[in-house]
Amino acid sequence: MIELSGVCKYYRKGSYFKRETVEVLRDVSITIERGKHTGIIGESGAGKSTLCRILSLLELPDKGRVSVDGVEVNRKNIKKIRGVVGMVFQDPITSLDSKMKIISSLKEANGNVEQIKETCLRVGLSPSILYRYPHQLSGGQQQRVAIARAILSKAKYILFDEFSSALDVSTQARIVNLLCDINKDREYSFVFVSHDVKLVGFLSDEIYVIYKGEIVEKLKSLSDALHPYTRLLIEGTVEDGVDLAGDSGCAFYSVCPSRMDRCRHDRPELVDIDGDRQVRCFLYD
């Protein structure tokens, strides 16, 4: 499994003379279990992309611990361990070299041509596309190539970063059905990172909800949502608000329909509800 424990990540912004540190992730703990589908949902700017980079072992956290199959990841071994995680990006054509034919791109993941052809058929592609360039493929075909490459790399964990946002509705449906078929035996651990709440809810066995760099809820089904933010996210009615609580209070205080005076001054902890669920809210303290 991939386990993040107490992960924090900071970035610096501003000019050389006036720089400030921004906390992008705060005390994030997530477990990605083998053979399961895990969803991570939140709005743009919630910290999903940074979390995705840490889960894919492209970056290390500034604080906290990351372990893969029981081995703690550090600067010395991160490159060696990185191969167990595959990535399917939001816009697949950006991850394919425009000057290389598809077969050359896939050979970078696995040099066995027969396996490449078999995997193409597995993801619903004709082997004839192997001798085309990325721009000669449709968006759906490009996404299937990206999925094939992740499978060919023999990754145990495959992260899908906003994988459906560049596709039309009908193509999305075909890709979703493909993913369900590919992993019907739960050979891989899929991680879906997206703002498409309903799609992630449909695909995932377990869902983490992130808001302003914090995990505010962990749940099995969206129908069990407790946190006010999760409920608004499902309804699609989350609004921006002025931060009234600052660093000491709840991050969601300014726009929460259920806020209390306590929320402005105290930051809630992530608490267990019934063993399978966790929520960061004083309503359930």
Side-chain angles (χ1 to χ4, degrees):
M1 75 176 98
I2 300 178
E3 188 173 9
L4 273 59
S5 180
V7 162
C8 297
K9 187 67 180 179
Y10 309 97
Y11 290 122
R12 294 183 178 275
K13 70 174 186 177
S15 66
Y16 177 82
F17 298 100
K18 187 178 180 181
R19 296 180 69 85
E20 61 177 311
T21 301
V22 178
E23 189 175 40
V24 182
L25 296 178
R26 175 185 285 197
D27 194 25
V28 171
S29 295
I30 284 180
T31 300
I32 309 298
E33 296 186 27
R34 288 290 300 273
K36 286 195 174 183
H37 292 178
T38 303
I40 300 171
I41 58 174
E43 300 170 284
S44 297
K48 299 191 305 299
S49 295
T50 301
L51 181 56
C52 203
R53 290 184 65 81
I54 291 175
L55 283 170
S56 60
L57 307 182
L58 294 175
E59 291 186 17
L60 285 170
D62 295 312
K63 287 184 182 179
R65 181 176 180 269
V66 179
S67 63
V68 178
D69 296 334
V71 178
E72 184 169 355
V73 181
N74 54 47
R75 295 188 184 281
K76 293 182 179 180
N77 64 13
I78 189 170
K79 288 185 178 180
K80 181 179 179 181
I81 299 174
R82 187 177 288 156
V84 303
V85 185
M87 281 286 297
V88 176
F89 295 95
Q90 177 177 353
D91 189 356
I93 197 168
T94 60
S95 63
L96 299 171
D97 191 326
S98 61
K99 297 179 181 179
M100 292 173 63
K101 291 183 178 180
I102 299 302
I103 190 166
S104 299
S105 293
L106 294 181
K107 277 184 176 179
E108 291 182 339
N110 187 322
N112 189 315
V113 176
E114 287 305 311
Q115 284 189 19
I116 290 174
K117 290 180 178 179
E118 289 173 9
T119 304
C120 282
L121 292 171
R122 188 178 177 188
V123 300
L125 288 171
S126 168
S128 63
I129 64 96
L130 292 171
Y131 303 96
R132 300 180 189 173
Y133 291 94
H135 71 271
Q136 295 175 311
L137 305 182
S138 67
Q141 288 174 321
Q142 292 166 3
Q143 195 67 280
R144 288 169 190 260
V145 169
I147 295 169
R149 186 167 61 180
I151 292 172
L152 284 164
S153 71
K154 298 183 179 179
K156 299 176 184 177
Y157 308 90
I158 302 178
L159 273 67
F160 297 84
D161 183 15
E162 300 284 5
F163 74 100
S164 64
S165 60
L167 305 175
D168 60 63
V169 176
S170 61
T171 305
Q172 279 185 28
R174 288 194 291 270
I175 295 295
V176 167
N177 289 334
L178 169 67
L179 294 176
C180 293
D181 184 60
I182 286 173
N183 213 25
K184 61 185 177 183
D185 296 325
R186 296 305 176 105
E187 182 181 353
Y188 309 99
S189 296
F190 284 171
V191 183
F192 302 101
V193 183
S194 180
H195 66 272
D196 192 328
V197 178
K198 292 182 180 179
L199 179 60
V200 172
F202 172 75
L203 288 167
S204 304
D205 303 312
E206 191 168 72
I207 303 165
Y208 290 89
V209 185
I210 185 170
Y211 179 75
K212 290 190 176 180
E214 287 186 324
I215 299 299
V216 297
E217 189 163 10
K218 172 190 171 185
L219 63 164
K220 296 289 186 183
S221 170
L222 293 177
S223 61
D224 297 329
L226 296 175
H227 198 283
Y229 173 66
T230 309
R231 291 178 175 177
L232 292 177
L233 203 59
I234 294 168
E235 296 169 2
T237 56
V238 180
E239 298 179 358
D240 293 331
V242 178
D243 189 357
L244 302 175
D247 292 333
S248 60
C250 174
F252 194 55
Y253 174 81
S254 59
V255 289
C256 181
S258 305
R259 64 189 183 193
M260 303 175 283
D261 289 340
R262 181 185 181 187
C263 306
R264 182 165 188 164
H265 306 289
D266 300 327
R267 185 174 292 272
E269 298 293 327
L270 196 62
V271 295
D272 291 323
I273 299 299
D274 54 16
D276 289 332
R277 293 187 293 171
Q278 293 179 317
V279 64
R280 189 185 298 276
C281 183
F282 288 130
L283 292 172
Y284 309 96
D285 192 2

